[in-house]
Amino acid sequence: MDLAAEAPTLRPLMFSIAYRMLGSVADAEDVVQSGMLRLHERAAGGQQIDRPDAYASTVATRLSIDALRSAHRTRELYVGPWLPEPLLVDDEDPARRIEHDETMSVAVLTMLERLGPVERAVFVLREALGFDYAEIARIVERDPAACRQILHRARQRVTTASSRFDADDADAARLVGEFVAALRAGDVDAVIRVLSDDVVFTADGGGRAPAIQRPMTGDLAVARFLVGLMRRGDMLGVTLETTLANGEPCVVFRSSDGATLSVLTLHIDAGTIGAIANQLNPEKLQHLAPVGDLFALVRQEGAWPET
């Protein structure tokens, strides 16, 4: 096996599995690094790998299962809501440029937290990558019938009725444009017009950035909150730009020196913004370096509310 020739294909494959299972760019990169090391060791030892993609998928899945089991206690003690690390569509790392589908959305990755490690592996391998049950059974060391049952239970626990955002959808692009324009103008009524009545706003600070501890619901409450944040941000030179994260539109907030402060992912459903996920935890934004210090901004501004 020519590992150098295979690496450009195997790295994104392993990352796509690990990221979907772990919801963490950093942890997924650790899995890829460990997986590639195992491939190197196997090749150096003269062991034949007939299907490098199958071997890489197996290694990435099993390493991710191990990582989830190790992280179980840490995630139980996590401060506030847990959200996945945002993966921007224009990420410069070739290994992170993977297909963005429904299983990449913030909503689905968040709901995968409800599943156990093996359930999550079966769901990702089948729903995201289309593996057949025989191959999944070999990877997770279960029989095919058991994998079918595991997937059935996983589907029941993970509702994926949310629609995929299409970057070429003119209506969706217009909606996002109106949302951003309303924020910049500080127009609460205009923000409300693009939100669903029961919009849910969730923020993840992880105890390392000022963030609300429970999701906020309702168009008026969310609109007022966001406009209030923008007004305070304007005073500190905070800027925003739109792009895509996890296959959905997002707004990246940056400090006056260009450091990333947060990534606000927007879920569009039935012509409105139905859910907003704000990732502020600096540890989960490190792959978007440089990362700003929101607590320092709070101290500077003196009256910044929890975001």
Side-chain angles (χ1 to χ4, degrees), residues 33 47 57 78 84 92 117 139 180 192 249 258 267 280 284-285:
Q33 183 175 355
Q47 294 177 285
S57 298
Y78 196 79
E92 295 181 357
I139 292 173
V180 170
I192 289 175
H267 173 66
L280 308 104
K284 294 185 175 185
L285 299 173

Side-chain angles (χ1 to χ4, degrees), residues 22 27 31 62-72:
L22 303 173
D27 291 345
V31 166
R62 292 178 181 175
L63 286 173
S64 296
I65 288 174
D66 290 343
L68 284 169
R69 287 171 174 161
S70 298
H72 177 70

Side-chain angles (χ1 to χ4, degrees), residues 3-18:
L3 195 55
E6 297 282 356
T9 301
L10 298 182
R11 285 183 179 276
L13 173 61
M14 288 192 287
F15 183 85
S16 69
I17 293 171

Side-chain angles (χ1 to χ4, degrees), residues 216-232:
M216 179 184 297
T217 305
D219 54 0
L220 179 58
V222 171
R224 284 177 172 172
F225 186 73
L226 289 174
V227 168
L229 290 180
M230 277 299 301
R231 287 172 178 162
R232 290 172 171 82

